[in-house]
Amino acid sequence: DSGVTQTPKHLITATGQRVTLRCSPRSGDLSVYWYQQSLDQGLQFLIHYYNGEERAKGNILERFSAQQFPDLHSELNLSSLELGDSALYFCASSVAAGDYGYTFGSGTRLTVV
Amino acid sequence: GESVGLHLPTLSVQEGDNSIINCAYSNSASDYFIWYKQESGKGPQFIIDIRSNMDKRQGQRVTVLLNKTVKHLSLQIAATQPGDSAVYFCAENAGNMLTFGGGTRLMVKP
């Protein structure tokens, strides 16, 4: 157990729907990062939050949004889902923005049918 | 934009042999590099890191080498075991986030 908790582990939904992925960072970590991993692909950075504030955005679609709450957990919202959104979504946390070590959760596997 | 890349997508080695996984990076401003291991169905797991002021760092059965002149990073695994079978990613930090390479799949033959 890495200490980073992601729920749900698996999610199957239809095109056009909206889903919310949840991440609880490791205790004491203020930074949360979201990554997308498509089949046999590397990890694509989506967005970074530090202590409730957005710090950096990667190649995140406009249909996707995220937030970090006062208790530091984060949610990634995916809307108007398309088949191509099927992927593993990972959350990682670290102590501070710019802190070098990331701890990853076990991911949420999203399947859009 | 600048990115991290890998030379070999798949590496097959005999159990007990040494493995070398390579990575090229292009951002000369990167000052920190990490190797992650990802087993099937799991999230990436930290293996070893190295800062740009070093050229070699050793861990348990793993060594990371950094050649800043040619912007090259390698991961050496000694006495490779079946449990080492996984996808290995290099990552670089040139700011507030890690940029990952495409990954190399290591297959260990018994």
Side-chain angles (χ1 to χ4, degrees):
Chain A
D1 182 9
S2 68
V4 178
T5 303
Q6 289 188 249
T7 57
K9 292 193 182 303
H10 302 278
L11 196 52
I12 301 175
T13 190
T15 54
Q17 295 299 303
R18 181 179 188 275
V19 297
T20 297
L21 312 184
R22 182 188 169 101
C23 170
S24 293
R26 198 177 53 164
S27 178
D29 286 357
L30 300 179
S31 270
V32 171
Y33 308 82
W34 286 97
Y35 283 82
Q36 180 192 55
Q37 185 177 41
S38 300
L39 186 64
D40 289 333
Q41 296 294 311
L43 290 150
Q44 301 298 316
F45 170 70
L46 295 178
I47 198 163
H48 167 214
Y49 278 85
Y50 173 74
N51 203 21
E53 294 185 1
E54 181 185 305
R55 283 299 185 95
K57 264 187 175 181
N59 296 322
I60 186 168
L61 299 172
E62 287 190 9
R63 299 183 286 109
F64 296 0
S65 65
Q67 54 184 329
Q68 186 180 27
F69 295 86
D71 67 352
L72 301 177
H73 91 272
S74 178
E75 293 180 355
L76 179 66
N77 301 298
L78 315 176
S79 62
S80 302
L81 285 167
E82 302 174 0
L83 296 178
D85 297 327
S86 296
L88 273 166
Y89 292 85
F90 287 103
C91 166
S93 71
S94 65
V95 172
D99 184 67
Y100 298 140
Y102 290 15
T103 301
F104 280 84
S106 56
T108 292
R109 180 175 294 280
L110 173 67
T111 302
V112 183
V113 297
Chain B
E2 296 177 308
S3 64
V4 176
L6 292 168
H7 296 308
L8 301 173
T10 303
L11 177 64
S12 183
V13 300
Q14 203 70 38
E15 181 180 356
D17 287 351
N18 297 333
S19 302
I20 300 176
I21 301 172
N22 296 301
C23 174
Y25 67 94
S26 59
N27 190 342
S28 57
S30 295
D31 60 0
Y32 181 65
F33 304 87
I34 309 176
W35 281 100
Y36 281 89
K37 172 186 180 183
Q38 186 177 20
E39 297 176 278
S40 180
K42 298 183 180 180
Q45 180 182 15
F46 173 94
I47 301 174
I48 192 168
D49 59 0
I50 188 168
R51 298 196 183 277
S52 59
N53 60 353
M54 304 171 68
D55 54 18
K56 180 179 180 179
R57 189 158 190 234
Q58 287 185 291
Q60 187 176 17
R61 282 201 307 119
V62 294
T63 301
V64 56
L65 299 178
L66 175 63
N67 186 331
K68 294 181 287 294
T69 302
V70 295
K71 297 178 185 173
H72 184 266
L73 192 69
S74 69
L75 176 70
Q76 299 179 1
I77 304 174
T80 312
Q81 302 170 358
D84 295 326
S85 294
V87 176
Y88 290 80
F89 293 97
C90 64
E92 62 177 330
N93 189 334
N96 280 341
M97 66 180 186
L98 290 178
T99 301
F100 286 80
T104 292
R105 184 175 302 279
L106 177 64
M107 300 175 61
V108 182
K109 296 178 289 186

